[in-house]
Amino acid sequence: MTYARTNAGARRHALRRLGVGLVLIAALALPAAAAPDSKPYDERLFRLSEILGAIHYLRELCGAEEGQQWRDRMSELLQSEGTSALRKARLTRSFNKGYQSYSRTYNTCSPSAQSAINRFITEGATIADTLVRSVP
């Protein structure tokens, strides 16, 4: 087995974990819809939104051909956590910030872009796992 195959397999596994984590966050957050607009986990949630935006841009740039997968994950997050227009706007702004920041930084898929993808997938999976464990 080559390093590239092992690395690709690890990335796919991390991507699946991130997706599963987001679905779980959405399921756990539904009962909290009547809660006030601000949540104790907002900082992590907004960071996760920003990461999703960055991954959406970078994966497309690097030819992942995943279509709207990361935007769809963000839509799921908005449906479960966007309890008000302001909250939806803040989550969307975080996603767009991640997307736009990396669209200004990278215009070709470079080793640095690949490294950023790997870091974001790892960080996003960690945040999603933490949120799933800590959100009541």
Side-chain angles (χ1 to χ4, degrees):
M1 183 177 301
T2 66
Y3 173 74
R5 287 185 190 158
T6 304
N7 195 24
R11 277 197 307 264
R12 278 194 300 277
H13 178 70
L15 291 171
R16 276 192 223 110
R17 270 191 10 187
L18 180 58
V20 168
L22 290 173
V23 170
L24 290 172
I25 290 168
L28 291 171
L30 287 175
D37 197 39
S38 182
K39 308 273 193 288
Y41 53 87
D42 277 354
E43 185 176 323
R44 290 174 285 171
L45 193 64
F46 294 129
R47 176 63 182 152
L48 183 58
S49 299
E50 186 176 342
I51 288 169
L52 288 171
I55 291 173
H56 179 66
Y57 174 76
L58 291 168
R59 295 282 296 166
E60 184 71 22
L61 179 69
C62 290
E65 297 183 22
E66 296 168 330
Q68 298 298 306
Q69 175 181 338
W70 300 103
R71 199 175 294 255
D72 292 344
R73 297 299 163 267
M74 185 62 203
S75 292
E76 292 170 12
L77 201 59
L78 281 171
Q79 288 174 354
S80 64
E81 287 293 329
T83 54
S84 70
L86 177 60
R87 190 166 177 76
K88 285 180 184 178
R90 290 179 67 204
L91 287 164
T92 301
R93 186 172 43 243
S94 293
F95 179 91
N96 290 339
K97 177 184 174 189
Y99 186 96
Q100 291 166 355
S101 293
Y102 283 85
S103 70
R104 287 189 298 269
T105 304
Y106 295 100
N107 55 16
T108 60
C109 184
S110 64
S112 178
Q114 288 286 351
S115 178
I117 291 169
N118 292 333
R119 281 193 320 272
F120 285 136
I121 287 172
T122 300
E123 183 182 355
T126 300
I127 292 170
D129 287 346
T130 302
L131 287 169
V132 167
R133 284 189 302 244
S134 66
V135 175

